[in-house]
Amino acid sequence: MEAPAARGGARMRLRLVSLVVVVAMAAATARAQLQVGYYDTLCPAAEIIVQQEVSKGVSGSPGTAAGLLRLHFHDCFVRGCDGSVLLDSTPGNQAEKDAPPNSSLRGFEVIDAAKTRLEQACYGVVSCADVLAFAARDALALVRVCVCQELL
């Protein structure tokens, strides 16, 4: 008969393998739907606009970089990256952003500023989920540059 600790370890390994398979499948599906440079012809200024707004936000408050990454993570965590974390609550429905796990999210003002400029430049073209992804990417790039410069 197998010891209880061994059974628990086997269950944990099975869960870990299952998790790895699910993540790999999700990544393969996501890769098939994404395209670098997608907005190059639809809204050429899209990535530049987001980068400028992120740069303003992070230079004013360096902690904003982590907030933008966390905001993107919380948007993608449950049902995929869909921009739902940006929706406001209505009288009959509590929005995702107002749920207890998300009450401490930061960076909404950066996303709002970027989205406002994007709507002026290319109305209805750039998705909120893509704005969150660009913002998280750009925030990490800015922080990486700052850290690397400090190390030199």
Side-chain angles (χ1 to χ4, degrees):
M1 176 144 196
E2 194 175 356
R7 281 195 306 262
R11 276 192 216 121
M12 183 60 88
R13 283 191 299 277
L14 180 59
R15 287 181 185 153
L16 182 60
V17 169
S18 298
L19 177 64
V20 169
V21 169
V22 168
V23 169
M25 289 172 56
T29 301
R31 223 177 295 126
Q33 297 171 358
L34 300 178
Q35 178 181 345
V36 172
Y38 176 79
Y39 292 109
D40 288 352
T41 55
L42 298 170
C43 185
E47 293 189 50
I48 294 165
I49 289 170
V50 175
Q51 185 179 41
Q52 289 170 344
E53 292 303 323
V54 168
S55 182
K56 283 184 211 174
V58 171
S59 68
S61 174
T64 300
L68 290 168
L69 177 61
R70 185 167 175 243
L71 192 59
H72 179 57
F73 170 78
H74 278 255
D75 182 50
C76 297
F77 185 67
V78 178
R79 293 189 182 139
C81 307
D82 58 4
S84 60
V85 75
L86 301 175
L87 298 175
D88 293 323
S89 293
T90 60
N93 186 32
Q94 182 185 34
E96 190 177 326
K97 77 165 43 166
D98 297 324
N102 297 334
S103 63
S104 64
L105 291 178
R106 299 181 336 190
F108 289 108
E109 67 286 347
V110 173
I111 302 302
D112 290 343
K115 193 63 178 161
T116 297
R117 285 187 57 199
L118 286 166
E119 290 301 304
Q120 292 169 350
C122 325
Y123 183 77
V125 174
V126 183
S127 76
C128 291
D130 287 344
V131 173
L132 286 168
F134 291 152
R137 176 200 63 192
D138 295 342
L140 289 178
L142 283 169
V143 172
R144 192 188 106 221
V145 168
C146 292
V147 169
C148 290
Q149 288 175 347
E150 287 177 12
L151 293 176
L152 296 176

